[in-house]
Amino acid sequence: MLAVMNPEAGKTILNEALTNKEKYTQTGEDAFGNKQYGFVNERDQTINGKPLGSGESGTSSFLASGVKQIDSNLTGSDYLKQFSPEVQAAVNNYNRW
């Protein structure tokens, strides 16, 4: 009804409603200092479609899926399995030198 009574307000409302509010930008850094990027939607307060604060932090990126914290009592391959495939590959590559 506002758009009918005030066409200028209608233009603003329609433009706001139909505009994509996502932008591709840096969202943080992982545990190794690598920059992480994603789509940030300021209107819905999401990053890559997930709510802000949903557990996507730099610390979770180096842990294996489902691992919440490191168990320092484990050793060898059991210890290494706590980490993401990227971390495991880096450790294995380092050990080859």
Tab-separated table of all heavy atoms in Angstrom, residues 14-74:
chain	number	residue	atom	x	y	z
A	14	LEU	N	11.052	-2.058	-3.444
A	14	LEU	CA	11.228	-3.105	-4.454
A	14	LEU	C	12.700	-3.367	-4.735
A	14	LEU	O	13.125	-4.520	-4.846
A	14	LEU	CB	10.507	-2.731	-5.746
A	14	LEU	CG	9.004	-2.926	-5.730
A	14	LEU	CD1	8.377	-2.383	-7.000
A	14	LEU	CD2	8.675	-4.404	-5.575
A	15	ASN	N	13.479	-2.310	-4.855
A	15	ASN	CA	14.908	-2.473	-5.098
A	15	ASN	C	15.572	-3.251	-3.967
A	15	ASN	O	16.371	-4.154	-4.194
A	15	ASN	CB	15.580	-1.114	-5.275
A	15	ASN	CG	17.014	-1.249	-5.711
A	15	ASN	OD1	17.349	-2.129	-6.496
A	15	ASN	ND2	17.872	-0.372	-5.214
A	16	GLU	N	15.223	-2.918	-2.750
A	16	GLU	CA	15.791	-3.608	-1.579
A	16	GLU	C	15.364	-5.073	-1.551
A	16	GLU	O	16.153	-5.956	-1.240
A	16	GLU	CB	15.347	-2.896	-0.297
A	16	GLU	CG	15.917	-3.459	0.968
A	16	GLU	CD	17.404	-3.208	1.131
A	16	GLU	OE1	17.947	-2.276	0.514
A	16	GLU	OE2	18.039	-3.965	1.890
A	17	ALA	N	14.120	-5.342	-1.867
A	17	ALA	CA	13.599	-6.703	-1.809
A	17	ALA	C	14.183	-7.588	-2.908
A	17	ALA	O	14.355	-8.794	-2.715
A	17	ALA	CB	12.076	-6.687	-1.913
A	18	LEU	N	14.495	-7.019	-4.051
A	18	LEU	CA	14.948	-7.816	-5.189
A	18	LEU	C	16.460	-7.833	-5.377
A	18	LEU	O	16.964	-8.534	-6.242
A	18	LEU	CB	14.279	-7.298	-6.467
A	18	LEU	CG	12.748	-7.373	-6.472
A	18	LEU	CD1	12.197	-6.743	-7.740
A	18	LEU	CD2	12.275	-8.803	-6.316
A	19	THR	N	17.184	-7.088	-4.593
A	19	THR	CA	18.633	-7.019	-4.737
A	19	THR	C	19.296	-8.167	-3.995
A	19	THR	O	18.930	-8.484	-2.865
A	19	THR	CB	19.165	-5.686	-4.174
A	19	THR	OG1	18.547	-4.626	-4.874
A	19	THR	CG2	20.665	-5.579	-4.341
A	20	ASN	N	20.268	-8.789	-4.635
A	20	ASN	CA	21.043	-9.843	-3.995
A	20	ASN	C	22.021	-9.187	-3.032
A	20	ASN	O	22.844	-8.377	-3.427
A	20	ASN	CB	21.798	-10.653	-5.051
A	20	ASN	CG	22.568	-11.802	-4.448
A	20	ASN	OD1	22.597	-11.986	-3.244
A	20	ASN	ND2	23.191	-12.589	-5.292
A	21	LYS	N	21.944	-9.551	-1.775
A	21	LYS	CA	22.783	-8.925	-0.755
A	21	LYS	C	24.059	-9.725	-0.475
A	21	LYS	O	24.778	-9.421	0.455
A	21	LYS	CB	21.993	-8.757	0.549
A	21	LYS	CG	20.865	-7.765	0.432
A	21	LYS	CD	21.420	-6.380	0.187
A	21	LYS	CE	20.323	-5.367	0.070
A	21	LYS	NZ	20.786	-4.064	-0.289
A	22	GLU	N	24.315	-10.757	-1.262
A	22	GLU	CA	25.528	-11.544	-1.024
A	22	GLU	C	26.719	-10.911	-1.727
A	22	GLU	O	26.606	-10.411	-2.839
A	22	GLU	CB	25.347	-12.977	-1.527
A	22	GLU	CG	24.448	-13.793	-0.672
A	22	GLU	CD	24.464	-15.256	-1.057
A	22	GLU	OE1	24.885	-15.595	-2.158
A	22	GLU	OE2	24.046	-16.061	-0.220
A	23	LYS	N	27.858	-10.967	-1.041
A	23	LYS	CA	29.102	-10.528	-1.667
A	23	LYS	C	30.197	-11.531	-1.298
A	23	LYS	O	30.190	-12.111	-0.215
A	23	LYS	CB	29.472	-9.110	-1.263
A	23	LYS	CG	29.690	-8.918	0.208
A	23	LYS	CD	29.997	-7.463	0.503
A	23	LYS	CE	30.097	-7.264	1.995
A	23	LYS	NZ	30.330	-5.885	2.364
A	24	TYR	N	31.099	-11.746	-2.216
A	24	TYR	CA	32.206	-12.674	-2.015
A	24	TYR	C	33.338	-11.898	-1.372
A	24	TYR	O	33.848	-10.935	-1.933
A	24	TYR	CB	32.644	-13.278	-3.349
A	24	TYR	CG	33.632	-14.406	-3.213
A	24	TYR	CD1	33.228	-15.652	-2.781
A	24	TYR	CD2	34.964	-14.216	-3.519
A	24	TYR	CE1	34.125	-16.692	-2.653
A	24	TYR	CE2	35.877	-15.251	-3.406
A	24	TYR	CZ	35.449	-16.484	-2.979
A	24	TYR	OH	36.346	-17.518	-2.855
A	25	THR	N	33.742	-12.326	-0.181
A	25	THR	CA	34.751	-11.579	0.564
A	25	THR	C	35.503	-12.508	1.509
A	25	THR	O	35.109	-13.652	1.705
A	25	THR	CB	34.093	-10.428	1.355
A	25	THR	OG1	35.100	-9.631	1.958
A	25	THR	CG2	33.150	-10.946	2.414
A	26	GLN	N	36.576	-12.011	2.092
A	26	GLN	CA	37.327	-12.792	3.068
A	26	GLN	C	36.474	-12.962	4.326
A	26	GLN	O	35.919	-12.009	4.848
A	26	GLN	CB	38.641	-12.110	3.421
A	26	GLN	CG	39.471	-12.924	4.393
A	26	GLN	CD	40.805	-12.285	4.725
A	26	GLN	OE1	41.265	-11.389	4.038
A	26	GLN	NE2	41.437	-12.759	5.773
A	27	THR	N	36.382	-14.212	4.807
A	27	THR	CA	35.562	-14.499	5.986
A	27	THR	C	36.406	-14.872	7.198
A	27	THR	O	35.865	-15.048	8.284
A	27	THR	CB	34.579	-15.641	5.699
A	27	THR	OG1	35.306	-16.802	5.297
A	27	THR	CG2	33.597	-15.243	4.613
A	28	GLY	N	37.705	-15.025	7.024
A	28	GLY	CA	38.568	-15.361	8.147
A	28	GLY	C	39.871	-15.964	7.672
A	28	GLY	O	40.225	-15.874	6.500
A	29	GLU	N	40.566	-16.588	8.604
A	29	GLU	CA	41.821	-17.284	8.318
A	29	GLU	C	41.807	-18.611	9.039
A	29	GLU	O	41.253	-18.728	10.132
A	29	GLU	CB	43.024	-16.466	8.794
A	29	GLU	CG	43.251	-15.200	8.012
A	29	GLU	CD	44.512	-14.466	8.418
A	29	GLU	OE1	45.291	-15.002	9.231
A	29	GLU	OE2	44.721	-13.356	7.925
A	30	ASP	N	42.432	-19.625	8.412
A	30	ASP	CA	42.513	-20.919	9.075
A	30	ASP	C	43.689	-20.936	10.051
A	30	ASP	O	44.367	-19.926	10.238
A	30	ASP	CB	42.588	-22.070	8.060
A	30	ASP	CG	43.864	-22.061	7.232
A	30	ASP	OD1	44.829	-21.350	7.579
A	30	ASP	OD2	43.908	-22.793	6.224
A	31	ALA	N	43.905	-22.066	10.679
A	31	ALA	CA	44.939	-22.182	11.699
A	31	ALA	C	46.351	-21.955	11.147
A	31	ALA	O	47.273	-21.699	11.907
A	31	ALA	CB	44.860	-23.543	12.368
A	32	PHE	N	46.503	-22.052	9.828
A	32	PHE	CA	47.812	-21.891	9.213
A	32	PHE	C	48.008	-20.505	8.605
A	32	PHE	O	48.989	-20.250	7.938
A	32	PHE	CB	48.020	-22.968	8.144
A	32	PHE	CG	47.902	-24.354	8.696
A	32	PHE	CD1	46.791	-25.128	8.418
A	32	PHE	CD2	48.877	-24.872	9.527
A	32	PHE	CE1	46.669	-26.396	8.940
A	32	PHE	CE2	48.759	-26.130	10.055
A	32	PHE	CZ	47.653	-26.907	9.772
A	33	GLY	N	47.046	-19.622	8.814
A	33	GLY	CA	47.150	-18.268	8.296
A	33	GLY	C	46.660	-18.095	6.881
A	33	GLY	O	46.785	-17.014	6.308
A	34	ASN	N	46.086	-19.152	6.283
A	34	ASN	CA	45.541	-19.051	4.932
A	34	ASN	C	44.209	-18.321	4.976
A	34	ASN	O	43.354	-18.627	5.807
A	34	ASN	CB	45.339	-20.444	4.327
A	34	ASN	CG	46.625	-21.209	4.217
A	34	ASN	OD1	47.635	-20.674	3.799
A	34	ASN	ND2	46.595	-22.460	4.601
A	35	LYS	N	44.034	-17.368	4.087
A	35	LYS	CA	42.787	-16.607	4.051
A	35	LYS	C	41.654	-17.501	3.549
A	35	LYS	O	41.847	-18.303	2.643
A	35	LYS	CB	42.931	-15.390	3.147
A	35	LYS	CG	43.906	-14.373	3.698
A	35	LYS	CD	44.035	-13.187	2.788
A	35	LYS	CE	45.034	-12.207	3.375
A	35	LYS	NZ	45.242	-11.058	2.513
A	36	GLN	N	40.486	-17.352	4.169
A	36	GLN	CA	39.298	-18.087	3.757
A	36	GLN	C	38.290	-17.094	3.194
A	36	GLN	O	38.134	-15.997	3.718
A	36	GLN	CB	38.684	-18.835	4.941
A	36	GLN	CG	39.596	-19.907	5.488
A	36	GLN	CD	39.017	-20.578	6.718
A	36	GLN	OE1	38.343	-19.948	7.523
A	36	GLN	NE2	39.292	-21.853	6.867
A	37	TYR	N	37.617	-17.494	2.115
A	37	TYR	CA	36.663	-16.624	1.450
A	37	TYR	C	35.302	-17.303	1.391
A	37	TYR	O	35.192	-18.520	1.440
A	37	TYR	CB	37.137	-16.301	0.025
A	37	TYR	CG	38.390	-15.471	0.008
A	37	TYR	CD1	39.643	-16.070	0.028
A	37	TYR	CD2	38.322	-14.088	-0.008
A	37	TYR	CE1	40.802	-15.300	0.034
A	37	TYR	CE2	39.471	-13.315	-0.009
A	37	TYR	CZ	40.709	-13.931	0.007
A	37	TYR	OH	41.830	-13.164	0.004
A	38	GLY	N	34.273	-16.502	1.284
A	38	GLY	CA	32.930	-17.046	1.171
A	38	GLY	C	31.939	-15.964	0.799
A	38	GLY	O	32.287	-14.787	0.673
A	39	PHE	N	30.687	-16.394	0.613
A	39	PHE	CA	29.610	-15.478	0.276
A	39	PHE	C	28.936	-15.017	1.560
A	39	PHE	O	28.399	-15.820	2.306
A	39	PHE	CB	28.602	-16.152	-0.656
A	39	PHE	CG	29.158	-16.396	-2.026
A	39	PHE	CD1	29.712	-17.616	-2.363
A	39	PHE	CD2	29.148	-15.387	-2.974
A	39	PHE	CE1	30.234	-17.841	-3.619
A	39	PHE	CE2	29.669	-15.589	-4.233
A	39	PHE	CZ	30.212	-16.825	-4.562
A	40	VAL	N	28.975	-13.725	1.803
A	40	VAL	CA	28.397	-13.138	3.009
A	40	VAL	C	27.091	-12.444	2.628
A	40	VAL	O	27.061	-11.618	1.720
A	40	VAL	CB	29.370	-12.124	3.648
A	40	VAL	CG1	28.742	-11.443	4.841
A	40	VAL	CG2	30.671	-12.819	4.031
A	41	ASN	N	26.018	-12.820	3.328
A	41	ASN	CA	24.728	-12.179	3.130
A	41	ASN	C	24.438	-11.338	4.362
A	41	ASN	O	24.131	-11.874	5.427
A	41	ASN	CB	23.631	-13.231	2.914
A	41	ASN	CG	22.297	-12.613	2.589
A	41	ASN	OD1	21.903	-11.607	3.172
A	41	ASN	ND2	21.599	-13.218	1.654
A	42	GLU	N	24.569	-10.034	4.215
A	42	GLU	CA	24.408	-9.137	5.360
A	42	GLU	C	22.952	-9.048	5.819
A	42	GLU	O	22.689	-8.850	6.994
A	42	GLU	CB	24.946	-7.748	5.014
A	42	GLU	CG	26.448	-7.764	4.819
A	42	GLU	CD	27.015	-6.431	4.360
A	42	GLU	OE1	26.229	-5.497	4.073
A	42	GLU	OE2	28.243	-6.330	4.280
A	43	ARG	N	22.026	-9.214	4.901
A	43	ARG	CA	20.612	-9.132	5.273
A	43	ARG	C	20.204	-10.330	6.127
A	43	ARG	O	19.553	-10.185	7.149
A	43	ARG	CB	19.733	-9.062	4.025
A	43	ARG	CG	18.258	-9.007	4.354
A	43	ARG	CD	17.348	-8.921	3.167
A	43	ARG	NE	17.979	-9.287	1.931
A	43	ARG	CZ	17.464	-9.052	0.743
A	43	ARG	NH1	16.310	-8.456	0.642
A	43	ARG	NH2	18.076	-9.427	-0.357
A	44	ASP	N	20.597	-11.540	5.703
A	44	ASP	CA	20.227	-12.760	6.433
A	44	ASP	C	21.241	-13.146	7.497
A	44	ASP	O	21.047	-14.121	8.215
A	44	ASP	CB	20.058	-13.929	5.460
A	44	ASP	CG	18.937	-13.695	4.465
A	44	ASP	OD1	18.020	-12.898	4.777
A	44	ASP	OD2	18.978	-14.300	3.382
A	45	GLN	N	22.362	-12.409	7.570
A	45	GLN	CA	23.424	-12.690	8.538
A	45	GLN	C	23.953	-14.103	8.388
A	45	GLN	O	24.007	-14.880	9.337
A	45	GLN	CB	22.932	-12.443	9.964
A	45	GLN	CG	22.509	-10.999	10.236
A	45	GLN	CD	23.693	-10.053	10.203
A	45	GLN	OE1	24.601	-10.202	10.987
A	45	GLN	NE2	23.683	-9.097	9.301
A	46	THR	N	24.346	-14.474	7.145
A	46	THR	CA	24.878	-15.803	6.875
A	46	THR	C	26.201	-15.713	6.126
A	46	THR	O	26.493	-14.718	5.460
A	46	THR	CB	23.897	-16.642	6.022
A	46	THR	OG1	23.696	-15.990	4.763
A	46	THR	CG2	22.565	-16.831	6.719
A	47	ILE	N	26.990	-16.785	6.255
A	47	ILE	CA	28.202	-16.973	5.454
A	47	ILE	C	28.045	-18.313	4.766
A	47	ILE	O	27.861	-19.339	5.430
A	47	ILE	CB	29.469	-16.960	6.322
A	47	ILE	CG1	29.631	-15.612	7.009
A	47	ILE	CG2	30.703	-17.279	5.472
A	47	ILE	CD1	30.800	-15.544	7.967
A	48	ASN	N	28.078	-18.306	3.431
A	48	ASN	CA	27.863	-19.508	2.627
A	48	ASN	C	26.556	-20.205	3.009
A	48	ASN	O	26.470	-21.423	3.046
A	48	ASN	CB	29.034	-20.475	2.745
A	48	ASN	CG	30.299	-19.912	2.140
A	48	ASN	OD1	30.249	-19.149	1.184
A	48	ASN	ND2	31.434	-20.270	2.695
A	49	GLY	N	25.534	-19.416	3.327
A	49	GLY	CA	24.221	-19.958	3.644
A	49	GLY	C	24.050	-20.458	5.066
A	49	GLY	O	22.976	-20.898	5.443
A	50	LYS	N	25.104	-20.393	5.874
A	50	LYS	CA	25.028	-20.858	7.257
A	50	LYS	C	25.003	-19.660	8.193
A	50	LYS	O	25.726	-18.691	7.975
A	50	LYS	CB	26.217	-21.756	7.590
A	50	LYS	CG	26.232	-23.030	6.769
A	50	LYS	CD	27.412	-23.892	7.126
A	50	LYS	CE	27.433	-25.133	6.239
A	50	LYS	NZ	28.603	-25.951	6.484
A	51	PRO	N	24.210	-19.726	9.255
A	51	PRO	CA	24.133	-18.599	10.188
A	51	PRO	C	25.493	-18.262	10.790
A	51	PRO	O	26.321	-19.148	11.015
A	51	PRO	CB	23.184	-19.094	11.278
A	51	PRO	CG	22.453	-20.238	10.686
A	51	PRO	CD	23.351	-20.830	9.637
A	52	LEU	N	25.705	-16.978	11.055
A	52	LEU	CA	26.942	-16.555	11.707
A	52	LEU	C	27.071	-17.256	13.051
A	52	LEU	O	26.087	-17.439	13.759
A	52	LEU	CB	26.940	-15.041	11.925
A	52	LEU	CG	26.976	-14.175	10.671
A	52	LEU	CD1	26.871	-12.707	11.050
A	52	LEU	CD2	28.238	-14.416	9.890
A	53	GLY	N	28.281	-17.657	13.402
A	53	GLY	CA	28.511	-18.318	14.678
A	53	GLY	C	28.067	-19.760	14.701
A	53	GLY	O	27.896	-20.344	15.764
A	54	SER	N	27.910	-20.384	13.527
A	54	SER	CA	27.446	-21.765	13.497
A	54	SER	C	28.588	-22.762	13.612
A	54	SER	O	28.435	-23.926	13.291
A	54	SER	CB	26.662	-22.040	12.209
A	54	SER	OG	27.517	-21.927	11.086
A	55	GLY	N	29.746	-22.308	14.063
A	55	GLY	CA	30.864	-23.232	14.280
A	55	GLY	C	31.885	-23.240	13.176
A	55	GLY	O	32.827	-23.992	13.218
A	56	GLU	N	31.736	-22.413	12.175
A	56	GLU	CA	32.735	-22.353	11.120
A	56	GLU	C	33.801	-21.354	11.511
A	56	GLU	O	33.743	-20.187	11.192
A	56	GLU	CB	32.110	-21.937	9.793
A	56	GLU	CG	31.397	-23.040	9.110
A	56	GLU	CD	31.214	-22.768	7.633
A	56	GLU	OE1	31.898	-21.895	7.095
A	56	GLU	OE2	30.400	-23.440	7.037
A	57	SER	N	34.771	-21.814	12.232
A	57	SER	CA	35.869	-20.932	12.613
A	57	SER	C	37.157	-21.500	12.080
A	57	SER	O	37.203	-22.623	11.603
A	57	SER	CB	35.937	-20.806	14.139
A	57	SER	OG	36.272	-22.058	14.694
A	58	GLY	N	38.221	-20.735	12.211
A	58	GLY	CA	39.502	-21.204	11.710
A	58	GLY	C	39.983	-22.449	12.413
A	58	GLY	O	40.667	-23.265	11.835
A	59	THR	N	39.628	-22.649	13.683
A	59	THR	CA	40.124	-23.807	14.398
A	59	THR	C	39.474	-25.088	13.933
A	59	THR	O	40.078	-26.136	13.966
A	59	THR	CB	39.913	-23.650	15.910
A	59	THR	OG1	38.535	-23.445	16.157
A	59	THR	CG2	40.729	-22.514	16.460
A	60	SER	N	38.211	-25.033	13.485
A	60	SER	CA	37.549	-26.260	13.077
A	60	SER	C	38.038	-26.741	11.718
A	60	SER	O	37.847	-27.891	11.369
A	60	SER	CB	36.035	-26.071	13.059
A	60	SER	OG	35.679	-25.143	12.067
A	61	SER	N	38.674	-25.885	10.932
A	61	SER	CA	39.073	-26.270	9.592
A	61	SER	C	40.252	-27.241	9.583
A	61	SER	O	40.444	-27.937	8.612
A	61	SER	CB	39.406	-25.037	8.765
A	61	SER	OG	40.539	-24.393	9.285
A	62	PHE	N	41.020	-27.309	10.627
A	62	PHE	CA	42.138	-28.244	10.618
A	62	PHE	C	41.827	-29.531	11.359
A	62	PHE	O	42.610	-30.469	11.334
A	62	PHE	CB	43.435	-27.590	11.127
A	62	PHE	CG	43.504	-27.366	12.605
A	62	PHE	CD1	44.093	-28.312	13.421
A	62	PHE	CD2	42.997	-26.214	13.181
A	62	PHE	CE1	44.169	-28.112	14.787
A	62	PHE	CE2	43.079	-26.009	14.535
A	62	PHE	CZ	43.657	-26.966	15.350
A	63	LEU	N	40.652	-29.625	11.978
A	63	LEU	CA	40.237	-30.861	12.635
A	63	LEU	C	39.404	-31.696	11.682
A	63	LEU	O	38.729	-31.178	10.806
A	63	LEU	CB	39.417	-30.555	13.889
A	63	LEU	CG	40.167	-29.860	15.020
A	63	LEU	CD1	39.213	-29.551	16.165
A	63	LEU	CD2	41.323	-30.707	15.510
A	64	ALA	N	39.449	-33.005	11.863
A	64	ALA	CA	38.644	-33.911	11.045
A	64	ALA	C	37.171	-33.689	11.346
A	64	ALA	O	36.796	-33.187	12.413
A	64	ALA	CB	39.035	-35.357	11.330
A	65	SER	N	36.337	-34.061	10.421
A	65	SER	CA	34.902	-33.913	10.592
A	65	SER	C	34.441	-34.651	11.845
A	65	SER	O	34.778	-35.816	12.056
A	65	SER	CB	34.189	-34.477	9.364
A	65	SER	OG	32.811	-34.393	9.515
A	66	GLY	N	33.697	-33.958	12.690
A	66	GLY	CA	33.177	-34.561	13.910
A	66	GLY	C	34.083	-34.447	15.117
A	66	GLY	O	33.662	-34.715	16.237
A	67	VAL	N	35.329	-34.045	14.917
A	67	VAL	CA	36.268	-33.898	16.034
A	67	VAL	C	36.104	-32.500	16.614
A	67	VAL	O	36.219	-31.510	15.906
A	67	VAL	CB	37.729	-34.129	15.579
A	67	VAL	CG1	38.702	-33.874	16.718
A	67	VAL	CG2	37.901	-35.532	15.032
A	68	LYS	N	35.817	-32.423	17.901
A	68	LYS	CA	35.594	-31.128	18.556
A	68	LYS	C	36.866	-30.575	19.196
A	68	LYS	O	37.056	-29.387	19.275
A	68	LYS	CB	34.504	-31.254	19.634
A	68	LYS	CG	33.183	-31.708	19.091
A	68	LYS	CD	32.575	-30.663	18.193
A	68	LYS	CE	31.214	-31.124	17.705
A	68	LYS	NZ	30.723	-30.414	16.585
A	69	GLN	N	37.725	-31.468	19.695
A	69	GLN	CA	38.991	-31.024	20.284
A	69	GLN	C	40.014	-32.138	20.162
A	69	GLN	O	39.681	-33.297	19.984
A	69	GLN	CB	38.808	-30.603	21.737
A	69	GLN	CG	38.428	-31.736	22.682
A	69	GLN	CD	38.206	-31.209	24.095
A	69	GLN	OE1	37.501	-30.236	24.275
A	69	GLN	NE2	38.792	-31.859	25.063
A	70	ILE	N	41.271	-31.772	20.290
A	70	ILE	CA	42.376	-32.713	20.127
A	70	ILE	C	42.572	-33.515	21.402
A	70	ILE	O	42.600	-32.955	22.497
A	70	ILE	CB	43.672	-31.956	19.770
A	70	ILE	CG1	43.479	-31.215	18.446
A	70	ILE	CG2	44.859	-32.891	19.711
A	70	ILE	CD1	44.589	-30.252	18.126
A	71	ASP	N	42.699	-34.825	21.246
A	71	ASP	CA	43.016	-35.719	22.369
A	71	ASP	C	44.516	-35.963	22.346
A	71	ASP	O	45.029	-36.744	21.547
A	71	ASP	CB	42.251	-37.031	22.240
A	71	ASP	CG	42.500	-37.989	23.403
A	71	ASP	OD1	43.371	-37.682	24.255
A	71	ASP	OD2	41.835	-39.033	23.456
A	72	SER	N	45.243	-35.296	23.206
A	72	SER	CA	46.704	-35.390	23.226
A	72	SER	C	47.211	-36.710	23.780
A	72	SER	O	48.404	-36.985	23.734
A	72	SER	CB	47.286	-34.235	24.044
A	72	SER	OG	46.959	-33.016	23.431
A	73	ASN	N	46.323	-37.536	24.304
A	73	ASN	CA	46.732	-38.845	24.818
A	73	ASN	C	46.928	-39.858	23.706
A	73	ASN	O	47.550	-40.899	23.922
A	73	ASN	CB	45.693	-39.380	25.817
A	73	ASN	CG	45.629	-38.519	27.067
A	73	ASN	OD1	46.645	-38.090	27.587
A	73	ASN	ND2	44.420	-38.259	27.533
A	74	LEU	N	46.405	-39.581	22.512
A	74	LEU	CA	46.569	-40.491	21.380
A	74	LEU	C	47.975	-40.337	20.796
A	74	LEU	O	48.607	-39.288	20.933
A	74	LEU	CB	45.524	-40.193	20.312
A	74	LEU	CG	44.066	-40.384	20.726
A	74	LEU	CD1	43.137	-39.919	19.616
A	74	LEU	CD2	43.792	-41.828	21.092
